[in-house]
Every structure is written in C-alpha cells, then in structure tokens.
Amino acid sequence: MSSSTSDRRLSELWSCVTLDEASSLIDSTSNPFSLQNFVGGQYIAPHDSLTSSSQHITSFEPKTGRPIYTLPCTQPHAVEAAIKAAKAAFPSWSKTARAERSAILWKVSELLQQNREVFAIWESIDQGKTLDRARIEVDRAISNFSYFSTFILHEQTAARMVDGVALTYEHRSPAGVFALISPWNMPLYLLTWKIAPCLAFGCTAVAKPSEVTSMTAFLLGDIFQKAGVPPGVINIIFGDGATTGAALVASPLINGVSFTGGTQTGIAIRRLTAHQIGKHLSLELGGKNPTLVFADSMVPSVRERTIRVAAMAAFENQGEICLCGSRIYVEKSVYNDFVRDFTAYVREKYVLKQTVGAVASLQHCDKIRRYLELAAEQKATFHLGGVPPTLNEDEAQGYWIEPTILTDVAKNSAIQIDEIFGPVVTITPFDNEQEAIQLANDSEYGLAAILLTTDGARMRRVGEQLEAGLVWVNCWLVRELGTPFGGMKNSGTGREGGEHSRDVFTVVRTLHLPAY
C-alpha cells in the first residue's frame, strides 16, 4: 500500500462520526482495510521490511461476522526493529523534563477528547460492545493521559539521617524499554492505562494490542504523531501472541513487561522471562469474581441498588470484563426473592442488540456456548438465556449470546470454577457469613469481589477477609487512578495506578552522602 493510499484510508476512518457512516465505509470497501505498524513515529507499509512477512490476520466485526480489516502478524525480526526504535529513543526521552513530557501527554488527552466519538464508534464496531459502553471507555482512556500527565509534576522522595553520620535519599529513574500488551475486551482503555504511565515516567515502549481488536490502537498512532510524541518513544505493532508477543517479551532489549490478559498467557510470560531476573513484570490476569449478597441488602430501601449493582457487575460489556462478578452468592433467607428480582431486572435492562452487545469473536462465542451446553447437560436451571446455536465462519451473522442466569450449579462444576468471560452468571445460596467468605475464596483467582450489605462492621470484617486485590462495597467498577490495581493468587502479580505505576516503570537507588 502506498503512503498516499494509506493516508487516504486513515482519513476515511477519521471521517466516520456515526455508526452508520462507519458501517457504510466497511460495506463500500472491496478489500478489508489493512492496518500498519507504527514504528519510529510513522506507519510502516506492509511491503516494508519493518512490518512482517506476508502473514496477515483478518479481524471480523462481532455484530455481523463480516471482515473489517487485516493486520500484519509481525515477525520476530520486525519486532526487534520496533524494540530498537524504542531503545534509540530512550536516552533523550528519559532525560526530557517532566514538564515537557506532561505537556505532550496532556495534548494526547485533548486530541482524544476532540475525537471521542470516532474512537467510540470504531471501538464499538471492532469489539462488539454497545456505543454507550465504548464512550465510557474512551472517557477513561482520556483520563489515563490527563491523570498521569499531571501526576509526574508532583514528584517526591524520601531522605533519612543515619545518626548524624550520613544522609541517605532515594532517587528514581526510568526503567528503560517496556513491552505493553493489552487484551481484546477493553482495547483502548487498557492499552492507554499502560502507555500513559510508561511515557509519563520517562520510559519508551513497544505496545501490542490484541489481534482481535486492534483498530483504535492503529488510530492512536496518528494521535501520537499530532501530539508531538518524539519518534520511537511509543511504537505499536500488531500480531498474535505466539509469534509477535513471544518475541516481544523475550527480547533481552526489553527491560519490563506490563501485561493484561489470561492467566495461561501470564504463566507463559513468566517462563519466557525467567532467566532475565531484573526484568520488571506487572501481570494483571484472569478473574472469577464473587458477588456476596447479604439479607440486609435486600430490604426495600436498598433493594433496587443491590439488584442494579449485581446486574451491572455480571453483564456490563457482555460480561467481558475481568472484574465482572460472575459467581453470585446470596444469603439463604432472601435467595428466592433475589433470584426473582434479579432475573426480572436483567430481562428488562440487559436486552441483546440494544443494551447488550456481541461477544468479541467467533472463537469466544463458541467457548461460551460449550459452557452453556455443559450447564444443560448438568441439569442447571436456566432462569434466563439458553444454549445458542452452533455457528461457523461462513454462516455467522454476529456473535450473540443472551444474558444467562443459572442456578443449581454444582460447586465443583467447571461453570463455577472457570473464567467463562461472557454474559453468564451463577447464583448460589449460603447460610452464614463464614460460609459466604469460604465460597468466595474457593477459587484459584483473586482479582476482585463485590460485597452487598448495609452493615458497616460487616463491610470491614468480610471485606478484609476476601482474597481479592479489589473489593467493592455496594458499588462496582468505581476507580480512582491512584489506587493500586491488581490481583492475588492466579490473578496476577504487581500493582498499577498512581505511585504503584511509578514502581513498575522506574528503578530506585539509594544514595548515601556524608552528613558533614
């Protein structure tokens, strides 16, 4: 593809300010649009040696099943070229004044704000989420850049005296070149959650979004150009995990990895980097999160809030959020009332193709379907939803799964144990507080939990015993960007957010100076 053709196609993407316009652009194109890697401050044409071999991946629109673009499966030699571009940019960027880095990142946030609707439209098309959900996530991406652009202007350190003999103080410096790898469920939001602090703290990076949802990452390159990010500071390459991702994280030129995705991939990253002891690792992995509903949260004055929060935590973004509460445990005295009211609320508020989008891919749709087949085989009760028909690529008219509510699911069923990552929730009764805690903690995962109660003492008593990195009480997905984000057990290692992101992207050394 020539540079002029690439510029024209990029301009066409930016021109779409409604879903209908974007859909018409897809329909009017005889061949799917080809995404290009963004390396050294410019887009690299597919025939260029920095891109890849002839291997490409086709991405399909979840709501229709039609192909919308292809992307290169970037090969190891091209991955290394992108890393070298980041390596070359590091000495200058790491020494750039914080005020200058701040101004550039603030400009990125402004440009994202100016193009908010375009990003939301392509995020909705690419991932399958509703447009309203996409707008929320674009707003959070904007906040990522605005927050970290100002956070770095208020740096502080620690100094200590040693018995009048010496003064010691801590000095932080950027850690180097990072691999930033993000998942397909919240593409722009989670990619910028990594890029913003990485660049703010003076590191450079090679970012790889999921090959399933790469469109907004492609558009982001243009934003970085317009914001004046120096060439090589942020590079965006496309491809799968086995080829592109593995070459990226294993490179000895990479000083750190920030990854969000599945637990098995996180384990693979640990193995690939085990011999590189000094490489920084921040891994935010899977979750099978519990929601605990106590009887006091079902009194009339707060019942609507309880049902609303539990439903939001179960079905927002089609259940494709690692923080979703897919295991609901309800105190036995209000169990039947909760199941009845919860089912009625979800049936009214979470309507397929209106307030519930499509799941992200045919492969993921098939995975969810297999779990629902298992539920039927195990005689679970379907209060809502059912087993969808089998799809194949040629016949698919979109990857749609009805919101599904299950009861009578055995404790040892894979449906209760595995991260299904879709619009599927189980509801199980408990007798008392200790049983609720035991059920909640009976998982290999420990990412998040939701606690619904009006008892202030219980909020702390139970909340502090839940094996989860994040516990929400009577709310869900409330975030303050300075708080630590991350999980326990097989849900990952490390924390990000505010000063915790600083720990990921910087190295600290202690200097000892004579007191006199």
Side-chain angles (χ1 to χ4, degrees):
M1 182 183 295
S2 68
S3 176
S4 60
T5 302
S6 173
D7 291 344
R8 177 175 57 80
R9 296 303 299 275
L10 189 59
S11 177
E12 289 173 344
L13 295 176
W14 284 123
S15 71
C16 297
V17 295
T18 68
L19 279 173
D20 287 343
E21 289 177 0
S23 183
S24 295
L25 177 62
I26 296 170
D27 287 337
S28 67
T29 304
S30 56
N31 295 312
F33 182 75
S34 296
L35 304 192
Q36 300 171 3
N37 288 343
F38 182 77
V39 177
Q42 61 183 329
Y43 290 103
I44 307 298
H47 62 270
D48 194 295
S49 62
L50 291 184
T51 303
S52 71
S53 70
S54 59
Q55 293 176 279
H56 281 74
I57 300 167
T58 300
S59 183
F60 297 87
E61 182 184 9
K63 295 172 187 174
T64 63
R66 61 183 171 177
I68 48 176
Y69 58 82
T70 63
L71 60 149
C73 186
T74 306
Q75 302 298 294
H77 73 278
V79 173
E80 201 70 3
I83 296 171
K84 288 179 179 178
K87 191 80 173 177
F90 177 72
S92 174
W93 182 251
S94 63
K95 292 180 175 60
T96 299
R98 288 197 297 268
E100 185 175 346
R101 294 202 303 265
S102 172
I104 291 173
L105 295 181
W106 187 265
K107 182 64 174 177
V108 171
S109 74
E110 289 182 329
L111 290 171
L112 282 172
Q113 181 65 57
Q114 292 168 19
N115 294 279
R116 174 181 183 260
E117 192 68 5
V118 176
F119 272 99
I121 286 165
W122 286 113
E123 194 82 317
S124 175
I125 289 174
D126 196 20
Q127 202 276 336
K129 62 179 83 260
T130 66
L131 185 56
D132 284 343
R133 178 69 220 174
R135 288 176 178 133
I136 291 171
E137 293 177 18
V138 175
D139 287 342
R140 292 196 170 194
I142 294 166
S143 296
N144 288 338
F145 283 103
S146 61
Y147 174 83
F148 282 105
S149 73
T150 57
F151 182 92
I152 58 172
L153 297 178
H154 308 283
E155 186 68 17
Q156 61 182 9
T157 189
R160 302 171 183 86
M161 292 296 296
V162 183
D163 295 331
V165 175
L167 169 69
T168 71
Y169 73 94
E170 298 171 8
H171 173 266
R172 287 185 177 271
S173 58
V177 179
F178 270 75
L180 309 176
I181 303 177
S182 57
W184 48 255
N185 61 319
M186 303 168 87
L188 183 69
Y189 172 33
L190 293 180
L191 185 61
T192 58
W193 174 242
K194 300 178 183 304
I195 293 175
C198 180
L199 271 55
F201 292 115
C203 296
T204 59
V206 179
K208 191 200 88 66
S210 168
E211 68 274 19
V212 177
T213 51
S214 294
M215 178 63 85
T216 50
F218 174 73
L219 293 173
L220 200 55
D222 199 35
I223 294 293
F224 291 137
Q225 279 185 328
K226 292 172 179 174
V229 177
V233 168
I234 176 65
N235 308 273
I236 303 170
I237 60 174
F238 303 107
D240 63 13
T243 303
T244 309
L248 178 58
V249 301
S251 172
L253 298 179
I254 289 292
N255 302 105
V257 178
S258 175
F259 169 81
T260 298
T263 295
Q264 292 307 308
T265 305
I267 292 170
I269 291 173
R270 290 286 291 265
R271 288 173 177 159
L272 282 168
T273 59
H275 62 292
Q276 299 167 330
I277 301 299
K279 184 170 285 191
H280 290 211
L281 289 183
S282 177
L283 307 176
E284 191 269 290
L285 307 177
K288 185 72 173 179
N289 310 303
T291 297
L292 302 184
V293 181
F294 285 90
D296 57 8
S297 73
M298 285 292 287
V299 299
S301 60
V302 294
R303 178 179 297 210
E304 188 278 333
R305 181 188 67 187
T306 295
I307 298 296
R308 173 173 48 81
V309 171
M312 184 189 308
F315 296 112
E316 192 70 17
N317 200 47
Q318 305 78 246
E320 294 174 326
I321 299 177
C322 58
L323 304 165
C324 278
S326 56
R327 295 182 292 140
I328 301 178
Y329 298 104
V330 183
E331 194 164 359
K332 189 170 288 183
S333 63
V334 295
Y335 175 78
N336 289 332
D337 288 346
F338 178 87
V339 172
R340 180 197 64 222
D341 293 354
F342 182 78
T343 301
Y345 183 89
V346 172
R347 181 181 287 113
E348 177 186 356
K349 299 294 185 180
Y350 288 87
V351 180
L352 199 64
K353 301 187 180 183
Q354 296 180 29
T355 53
V356 177
V359 298
S361 69
L362 178 61
Q363 294 74 19
H364 191 54
C365 186
D366 189 54
K367 170 192 168 182
I368 298 170
R369 181 185 58 78
R370 290 195 299 271
Y371 279 105
L372 295 177
E373 285 181 337
L374 178 63
E377 291 169 7
Q378 295 179 347
K379 308 301 182 184
T381 301
F382 285 73
H383 293 265
L384 199 63
V387 181
T390 302
L391 299 174
N392 63 59
E393 196 167 287
D394 294 331
E395 299 174 346
Q397 298 297 311
Y399 317 133
W400 301 96
I401 301 283
E402 292 274 1
T404 303
I405 300 172
L406 302 172
T407 60
D408 305 313
V409 178
K411 177 182 176 182
N412 62 352
S413 169
I415 300 161
Q416 291 274 34
I417 296 170
D418 297 349
E419 183 183 31
I420 298 174
F421 213 65
V424 180
V425 68
T426 60
I427 310 178
T428 305
F430 66 81
D431 286 314
N432 53 57
E433 191 173 286
Q434 282 308 118
E435 185 187 12
I437 295 169
Q438 186 274 325
L439 288 168
N441 291 340
D442 186 19
S443 173
E444 66 175 293
Y445 300 107
L447 184 56
I450 301 98
L451 174 57
L452 301 173
T453 179
T454 60
D455 185 329
R458 178 185 285 134
M459 292 175 189
R460 291 190 60 186
R461 186 173 61 247
V462 173
E464 292 174 6
Q465 295 182 69
L466 295 176
E467 295 171 355
L470 303 99
V471 178
W472 281 287
V473 179
N474 296 329
C475 61
W476 180 71
L477 215 57
V478 176
R479 288 291 313 282
E480 195 285 319
L481 297 184
T483 55
F485 182 91
M488 300 178 179
K489 300 190 284 191
N490 277 351
S491 288
T493 181
R495 296 290 187 273
E496 296 184 14
E499 63 184 23
H500 307 280
S501 291
R502 182 189 63 179
D503 292 340
V504 172
F505 294 110
T506 64
V507 291
V508 61
R509 56 181 60 81
T510 303
L511 279 76
H512 301 268
L513 306 179
Y516 303 103

